[in-house]
Amino acid sequence: MTDQSPLAFPPGFTWGAATAAYQIEGGANADGKGRSVWDTFSHTPGKVRGGDTGDIACDSYHRYREDADLLSSLGLSAYRFSISWPRILPDGTGQVNQAGLDYYRALADALGERGIAATATLFHWDLPQGLQDRGGWASREVALRFADYAAVVAEALGDRVARWITLNEPLVVASNGYRTGVHAPGLRDMDAAAAATHHLLLGHGLAVSALRAALPSGAEVGITLNLTPVRVTADANGEGAALERARQVTDACLNGVFLEPVLSGRYPEYAPPALLPPDGLIEDTDMATIAAPLDFLGVNYYQPVHLRPGDPDNLRRDEEAPPVRVDGVVKYRPDGVYQPNSVARTAMDWLVDPEGLYELLLRLSKDAPGLPLYVTENGCAAEDYVNPEGAVDDVERVRFLHLHLAAAARAIRDGANLAGYYVWSLLDNFEWAWGYQKRFGIVFVDFGTQRRIPKASSAFYADVARANAVPPLPVSWPV
Ligand code: IFM
């Protein structure tokens, strides 16, 4: 019989919601902000669904107090937002735009007045266009400029922001931005992607040291990686060893390329050479810089991938992701073209797999003993709409959150070092190449009027946060 008691979280557990600058702020040209690669990309015809741009988005640049009120009404203890680099340094380097710093100081103050702790991400993909014009992350110089920017922001906000994230999901930047081109800056260049991988990591390491130099003691510094459990299917008749090898390669591609350098100062053994920087690019002290000790690891979890035996001739060679091949046995792509059909999916067609979160948290607690983990993103897109009563009853998201929060609580019970959870996302927002079509918020945004309507999931999440416990799962749900 299923245990029907609530699953409690530890005292002091952080309950938060997350957003990112380009996805919610709007104010694309306000008060001296420079252009970012996403301004350029979204204004390039054919790049974003429906021609959507982040010019206005949720207009949070002007409505941040209202958004802080929303967080407060939900009783959340933390808000993860990102800082727009070109709002602070319009050209990426050089002249500081004081109005940009003032905006984030005012946002942090609005949060502080409501008892909400600020968690700031320095880079959530909106690189200043001026730096892209000098090579973007494929250029070593950008890593150095990132550290300068970190120092400027830490000086200005260090008294108001206690938790700092250097990069958000650098894997997505390197793969979608430089390898497949579906994100800004839209390059399809394996060499540039490999160089970007190294320079993102180097930028992270240099920024850690710049932040530590400028922040008061007690500030926490970490990085957020999107991490993905990799599973082989049970029907691996006689293919065990080859599939295990494929699993190791895929794990290296999806997780190890960023996780291992950050945790251990080396690139993963099983990563295909084409994904890694050539030796000449790695300078003597780089790997030690990259492995600078952290106060926490931010984990973004959405779904696992699955591998299965297959005909290598069927390997997909589409433009989205060049296949990483294990000859003669396995059909898969790094992002997992094969997924089982039998489970629920979100409006992104992503699997609903809370067990993946459980597995991931326990694995990371083993790989990085003692390092606090925060789930810095988890959530789902759903086909939300305002019903005739004026409400948004997003039962799919309530179920998704219930299952994943229960998995997180079980992981803690079984030894995972999880200190907090930030739902993605506070608001429906600009979902990159999908534009406004995909809604991830626990608060609905009517983009035409900017009216915010809290969805049913926000009430569910608020109840969990207030109780610091997740209610028992309905007995009828498969766990
Ligand atoms: O919206 C994104 C976010 O910017 C980064 N992580 C995944 C989310 C959903 O795709």
Side-chain angles (χ1 to χ4, degrees), residues 247 251 259 263-264 266 297 299 357-373 411 414-418:
R247 197 195 59 72
D251 185 62
L259 193 57
L263 294 183
S264 323
R266 56 166 190 268
L297 177 66
V299 180
L357 179 60
Y358 174 88
E359 278 170 39
L360 187 59
L361 294 173
L362 285 176
R363 170 205 170 158
L364 293 169
S365 298
K366 204 160 119 240
D367 288 357
L371 184 66
L373 306 173
D414 295 345
N417 197 6
L418 182 66

Side-chain angles (χ1 to χ4, degrees), residues 99-168:
L101 289 174
D102 290 345
Y103 168 66
Y104 292 106
R105 289 165 76 104
L107 169 61
D109 285 346
L111 296 172
E113 284 155 17
R114 292 160 179 80
I116 298 162
T119 297
T121 304
L122 287 174
F123 178 69
H124 198 127
W125 307 356
D126 43 357
L127 188 76
Q129 183 61 46
L131 291 180
Q132 190 60 44
D133 297 343
R134 289 148 80 159
W137 288 107
S139 152
R140 189 177 177 92
E141 191 213 337
V142 170
L144 311 183
R145 299 295 76 81
F146 182 58
D148 298 343
Y149 154 63
V152 168
V153 176
E155 284 292 344
L157 296 173
D159 56 347
R160 291 161 164 86
V161 177
R163 189 168 298 142
W164 294 81
I165 295 168
T166 54
L167 305 176
N168 180 74

Side-chain angles (χ1 to χ4, degrees), residues 23 124-125 168-169 300 302 350 377 424 431-432 440:
Q23 294 181 272
H124 198 127
W125 307 356
N168 180 74
E169 299 185 2
N300 290 359
Y302 288 95
W350 296 350
E377 287 183 27
W424 184 269
E431 177 55 24
W432 307 113
F440 274 89

Side-chain angles (χ1 to χ4, degrees), residues 171-226:
L171 175 76
V172 176
V173 178
S175 65
N176 291 11
Y178 289 74
R179 186 175 305 120
T180 68
V182 296
H183 279 185
L187 303 183
R188 292 181 188 180
D189 180 336
M190 287 294 278
D191 294 340
T197 295
H198 187 65
H199 297 139
L200 281 156
L201 282 163
L202 180 63
H204 155 75
L206 293 170
V208 169
S209 122
L211 289 171
R212 297 239 186 262
L215 292 174
S217 66
E220 299 171 25
V221 177
I223 186 171
T224 280
L225 302 179
N226 53 309

